[in-house]
């Protein structure tokens, strides 16, 4: 919820109105040469208010009967309060994804929340490696509900309800959506967490678990109002099927509608191709835990030993640009790419570019994912640094 903020402009207006009332306190006539439309009874006289040509409020008090100080206070306080509240209410925001960087408390509490998220997401992926690329697709699909022209929609977590609600083009993501619901339930046993944060973070953690770079995610997204959870926007939401290898044009159109470019498409699909290969090649080691004298099995406890990427469990493998190399090879041989998205000329050009630059691919991927997850975001709180995009997002 948005609460009115007492700005400098509001305080100046308050002082002007207060001075106006004080000058007219003895009910002498005080007028300006302008015409007035809005009238309020004050001390038996009339307070007239109207916006002038320059947009500023013009006020006057027309004398009435003599009045006591108590009556004057009674009549004017209500008007002043109403004027301040009406003036301080912000204009309706077009963005629908509200983000409060301080939603989860101080830095220690944020770290605790992030650790719980990371551990639960990684545990889910290690149990079912094929779910890793699906987490990314859910997150991207959620963000693609943003419409750059109307500035509506965005990654607010409501994609999960759409998937579980039976949307046909999202059927391939049902397993991932169900797992995200379970992850949120586990975390909410001890701390609050929004589905929007779970979805965005799960995609980033899936990339890292698959051997990709760590991607900073700004937590603090608010759950949308119940009425907004159905994505009722002025522009109908059309979900492109990210799980289909034949929906290239629909996907390109969805990215363009969200204000994204072919570069982001190539980076995300390059990552998805690599993740699918890594997940397929991953062989889960047999759990050989021994029971202790209490009948309990060994429980993994994160520690600072080993690489930071494996602090919460092993990774599936190592991500690279191999998938894009395969696409580039097909394009150079003038063959039709097996993944339809790369039949788009510009997307194909970016694929060829990153196929020859693995370091560039790994460097630009976090930037692309972060950009996608920030679509439609509107900051509602937090430190000034967070509002400027340099807050506590190092997790």
């Amino acid at each position: 919820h948005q609460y009115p903020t007492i700005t400098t402009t509001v305080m100046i207006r308050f002082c002007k109105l207060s001075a106006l009332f004080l000058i007219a306190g003895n009910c002498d006539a005080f007028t300006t040469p302008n015409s007035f439309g809005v009238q309020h009874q004050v001390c038996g006289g009339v307070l007239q208010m109207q916006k002038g040509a320059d947009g500023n409020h013009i006020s006057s008090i027309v004398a009435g009967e003599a009045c006591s100080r108590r009556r004057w206070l009674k009549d004017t306080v209500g008007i002043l309060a109403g004027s301040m509240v009406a003036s301080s209410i912000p204009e309706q925001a077009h963005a629908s994804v509200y983000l409060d960087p301080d939603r989860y408390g101080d830095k220690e509490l944020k770290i605790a929340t992030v650790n719980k998220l990371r551990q639960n997401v990684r545990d889910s992926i290690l149990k079912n490696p094929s779910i890793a690329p699906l987490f990314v697709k859910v997150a991207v699909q959620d963000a693609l509900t943003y419409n750059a022209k109307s500035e509506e929609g965005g990654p607010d977590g409501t994609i999960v309800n759409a998937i579980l609600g039976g949307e046909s083009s999202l059927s391939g993501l049902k397993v991932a959506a169900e797992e995200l619901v379970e992850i949120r339930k586990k975390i909410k046993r001890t701390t609050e967490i929004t589905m929007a944060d779970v979805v965005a973070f799960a995609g980033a953690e899936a990339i890292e678990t698959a051997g990709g770079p760590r991607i900073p995610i700004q937590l603090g997204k608010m759950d949308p109002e119940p009425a907004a959870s159905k994505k009722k926007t002025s522009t109908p939401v059309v979900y492109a099927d990210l799980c289909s290898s034949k929906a290239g044009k629909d996907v390109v159109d969805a990215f363009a509608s969200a204000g994204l470019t072919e570069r982001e498409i190539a980076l995300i699909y390059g990552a998805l191709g690599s993740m699918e290969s890594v997940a397929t090649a991953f062989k889960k080691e047999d759990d050989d835990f021994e029971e202790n004298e209490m009948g309990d099995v060994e429980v993994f406890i994160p520690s600072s030993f080993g690489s930071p990427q494996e602090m919460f469990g092993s990774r599936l493998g190592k991500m690279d640009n191999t998938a894009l190399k395969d696409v580039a090879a097909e394009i150079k041989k003038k063959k039709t790419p097996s993944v339809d998205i790369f039949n788009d000329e510009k997307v194909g050009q970016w694929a060829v570019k990153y196929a020859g630059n693995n370091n560039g691919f790994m460097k630009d991927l976090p930037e692309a994912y972060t950009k996608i997850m920030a679509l439609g975001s509107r900051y509602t709180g937090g430190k000034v640094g967070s509002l400027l995009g340099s807050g506590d997002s190092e997790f």
Side-chain angles (χ1 to χ4, degrees):
H1 298 285
Q2 304 301 301
Y3 297 97
T5 301
I6 304 303
T7 63
T8 302
T9 302
V10 174
M11 289 305 299
I12 292 174
R13 185 172 299 160
F14 176 85
C15 294
K16 286 181 177 179
L17 286 173
S18 298
L20 185 59
F21 289 144
L22 290 173
I23 292 173
N26 59 359
C27 293
D28 290 334
F30 182 86
T31 61
T32 70
N34 301 78
S35 59
F36 302 96
V38 181
Q39 297 184 342
H40 299 281
Q41 294 295 324
V42 181
C43 253
V46 177
L47 167 65
Q48 298 177 317
M49 303 179 66
Q50 183 175 342
K51 278 191 176 181
D54 60 354
N56 294 322
H57 285 87
I58 307 170
S59 309
S60 70
I61 292 182
V62 180
E65 63 189 51
C67 59
S68 66
R69 182 178 300 174
R70 176 174 296 180
R71 183 175 177 187
W72 177 84
L73 287 172
K74 178 180 178 181
D75 288 343
T76 57
V77 167
I79 297 173
L80 283 171
S83 175
M84 289 181 66
V85 172
S87 301
S88 60
I89 294 177
E91 295 181 3
Q92 184 176 4
H94 294 293
S96 63
V97 183
Y98 295 97
L99 194 152
D100 180 359
D102 289 340
R103 177 180 177 85
Y104 299 112
D106 59 23
K107 192 167 185 176
E108 287 72 20
L109 292 175
K110 289 179 185 177
I111 292 175
T113 302
V114 166
N115 287 344
K116 290 176 184 177
L117 258 175
R118 199 182 299 281
Q119 186 67 70
N120 278 278
V121 172
R122 185 160 297 198
D123 286 348
S124 295
I125 293 174
L126 291 178
K127 290 178 182 177
N128 180 14
S130 64
I131 207 170
L134 296 183
F135 280 161
V136 176
K137 290 181 181 180
V138 171
V140 173
Q141 191 72 268
D142 196 28
L144 291 181
T145 59
Y146 179 69
N147 185 288
K149 291 184 178 179
S150 65
E151 297 185 332
E152 295 175 322
D156 59 5
T158 54
I159 190 67
V160 173
N161 289 334
I163 296 171
L164 298 180
E167 180 68 33
S168 58
S169 60
L170 304 175
S171 59
L173 303 176
K174 186 176 181 180
V175 173
E178 291 174 341
E179 188 64 24
L180 290 171
V181 171
E182 289 302 314
I183 290 174
R184 188 190 184 198
K185 284 182 180 179
K186 291 178 182 178
I187 296 175
K188 287 193 71 174
R189 292 172 184 170
T190 56
T191 186
E192 181 59 36
I193 190 73
T194 64
M195 182 57 76
D197 281 336
V198 172
V199 170
F201 193 92
E205 176 59 24
I207 290 174
E208 182 178 342
T209 302
R214 172 163 292 189
I215 303 177
I217 293 295
Q218 175 69 74
L219 296 183
K221 290 182 179 179
M222 315 285 279
D223 277 326
E225 294 295 329
S229 63
K230 296 182 180 180
K231 293 287 186 185
K232 293 182 178 179
T233 59
S234 61
T235 304
V237 177
V238 178
Y239 299 103
D241 189 351
L242 299 185
C243 293
S244 172
S245 61
K246 303 299 181 181
K249 186 179 184 305
D250 293 339
V251 174
V252 172
D253 290 344
F255 271 75
S257 178
L260 300 169
T261 68
E262 292 81 1
R263 174 175 174 269
E264 283 83 45
I265 299 175
L267 286 165
I268 292 298
Y269 269 80
L272 289 172
S274 179
M275 293 174 73
E276 289 170 358
S277 298
V278 168
T280 301
F282 178 74
K283 293 183 179 180
K284 182 180 178 182
E285 296 181 3
D286 294 332
D287 295 333
D288 189 20
F289 298 139
E290 296 182 1
E291 293 186 357
N292 59 24
E293 62 276 9
M294 300 298 293
D296 298 325
V297 297
E298 178 184 359
V299 178
F300 173 76
I301 300 177
S303 71
S304 59
F305 296 100
S307 66
Q309 292 83 1
E310 296 187 347
M311 180 177 176
F312 295 89
S314 62
R315 300 206 289 179
L316 301 181
K318 185 177 181 180
M319 180 185 291
D320 57 25
N321 63 345
T322 299
L324 294 178
K325 287 182 178 179
D326 294 339
V327 172
E330 291 176 330
I331 292 176
K332 289 179 179 179
K333 293 178 181 179
K334 296 184 179 181
K335 292 183 178 180
T336 300
S338 55
V339 179
D340 191 45
I341 191 74
F342 294 106
N343 283 315
D344 181 272
E345 183 178 357
K346 292 184 179 180
V347 177
Q349 290 174 353
W350 280 106
V352 172
K353 178 180 179 179
Y354 283 116
N357 186 0
N358 185 61
N359 289 336
F361 168 69
M362 297 294 284
K363 178 177 178 291
D364 292 348
L365 176 59
E367 178 187 337
Y369 186 85
T370 302
K371 178 180 179 180
I372 294 171
M373 291 303 107
L375 291 173
S377 295
R378 178 182 175 83
Y379 285 86
T380 63
K383 302 174 183 177
V384 174
S386 296
L387 296 176
L388 296 177
S390 57
D392 297 329
S393 61
E394 68 273 16
F395 306 116

